[in-house]
Structures are given as structure tokens and as C-alpha cells.
Amino acid sequence: MALSSGVGPATGTPGRGDQRQDLREDLRKDPAARLRRLARSAASRSSRVGLFVYALTLGGLLGLASADYATSGGYPFGGTGIGSWTAWPRAGSLDSDPYARAVNARRGDIPLAVGEGMLLTAASDDSGRTLDATCTYRLAGVTPPARAWTITVTGRGAPAPGQEPVRTGFTSTEILRETDGRFAILLSPEVQAGNWLPMPRPSGPVRLALRLYDTPVAASVGSLDRDSLPAIERMGCGS
């Protein structure tokens, strides 16, 4: 058997040792080729690094944007729908989800603990249409049994510059009621007679928050039904 160096026994093609030797010979003969090879190698490494940095930056920006959107409004998870209202029985509990804690921290709110009361919110009327600051709504009916309650209106975004709202909510001790104890609140951008709640911004979506204090329903959200919460009826919208 004949021994040879750098030649394949079956194909007769040059081995790797001969290929490297030929490459070194070519580079010595043509320095420009060496420069082109080094430039291609550097460009390849640079493109891989650039792609990694781009993917890392894009992921970080998308993560920050989604976190900002999820915590700039209401609670994104854990609610129980009751008609147009949503109850949040665990928003102030020790085992609340991270998003609820982030929303509370961003807004500077101290949520009601399970034994203290319950928060309910509404972002649409009884027909399922988003509450709009250019429209007028009638909130009428009763609230679940509670020692006290408040109802407030908020909106995503800044209020009109240089314009402070006349009021942002009502309490159970100051609201005007009918003889049977029922009440009606008009939520409108225009001044209304009776229990008027002005819109917090000139346009865009708004949200209602009903807070029940020292209420028996805090122990069981299942005891709530649609008739025990105020109805939300849209009366009309501005042009």
C-alpha cells in the first residue's frame, strides 16, 4: 500500500493540508485578495452582531410598550363580568397578579382589601358600546348593600389643558335620590340638572369606578347580579 500526504486515496483530490498551503501561497502572491478575505470575514461577524443587537433592542422596546399599555388603564386580568360592570374582588389582596400591583403602583392607588370592600368598573354601556367623552349617559338604579360607596369617572389620557373638572364623582352621602332610594346620575360633557358628573376630557374613552365600602358582597362576588348595579344608558352624542 502506497502512502501519500494530502491526497485522498479514493478520489485523488487534494487534502486539507494542501488546500491551506495553496491558500497561503495565493495570499502571498495577491495581498489584495487577503484584504478582501479579511473584509468579508469582518463584515460577516459584524452582520451577526448587528442582527443580535437589533433583535435585543426590538424585544426590549416591544416589552416596554406592552407593559406601558397594560398598566396605563384598568386592571387587565382577574375581573368578573356582571353586565356592563366588572368586579375586581382580588385587586387589593396579597395574592393579586403582578399586573394589578403594577397598575396600583403606577396610579398611586391603595386598593380595597378583601375585607374592606370591592371595586367595580365599567368601560361600556348596557348596549356594549364604549363609553365616549363626547356622549351623554344616564346611570340609574341602586347599588349593592354597603355602608358607603363612591362612583367616579376617569379617562385614559390627559384632561383638557388649563381646565379643571368641576367634580370627578359622587358619594353615597351627597347624591340626590328619589323617594324610593333610587338615584340617577347624568354623565355628560354639558351641564345637566340634578346629579351631573362632567366628562374628565373632551374626547376619547372613559371609565367608571364604583367602590363599595364595608359590603357583604366582598366575600362573594357571585351574590351580585345585573339588577343590583346601576344601569348605563346612552342618551346621545355630540357632533
Side-chain angles (χ1 to χ4, degrees), residues 39-210:
R40 286 195 297 269
S41 177
S44 177
R45 289 194 298 269
S46 177
S47 63
R48 288 195 296 268
V49 172
L51 182 61
F52 173 77
V53 172
Y54 172 77
L56 188 64
T57 303
L58 181 61
L61 291 176
L62 290 176
L64 290 174
S66 61
D68 176 75
Y69 182 82
T71 60
S72 62
Y75 301 115
F77 308 109
T80 300
I82 308 166
S84 55
W85 295 89
T86 302
W88 305 96
R90 312 298 297 179
S93 65
L94 294 177
D95 58 347
S96 60
D97 63 84
Y99 284 97
R101 293 195 293 270
V103 170
N104 292 331
R106 181 167 184 173
R107 296 191 304 200
D109 286 351
I110 300 177
L112 294 172
V114 175
E116 296 176 338
M118 181 181 292
L119 168 68
L120 297 101
T121 62
S124 60
D125 61 19
D126 289 350
S127 299
R129 294 169 295 194
T130 301
L131 297 179
D132 193 300
T134 62
C135 300
T136 296
Y137 299 90
R138 185 175 184 267
L139 285 67
V142 296
T143 63
R147 181 176 58 85
W149 56 262
T150 62
I151 187 165
T152 57
V153 58
T154 59
R156 184 191 290 267
Q163 179 180 350
E164 293 295 331
V166 178
R167 68 160 60 233
T168 58
F170 281 102
T171 69
S172 55
T173 59
E174 64 183 347
I175 196 167
L176 300 176
R177 302 174 184 268
E178 302 292 340
T179 55
D180 59 358
R182 303 175 73 86
F183 63 87
I185 299 174
L186 288 175
L187 175 63
S188 173
E190 303 294 335
V191 178
Q192 304 289 333
N195 299 314
W196 171 52
L197 195 56
M199 288 294 183
R201 53 187 299 191
S203 63
V206 296
R207 182 186 301 268
L208 292 167
L210 174 62

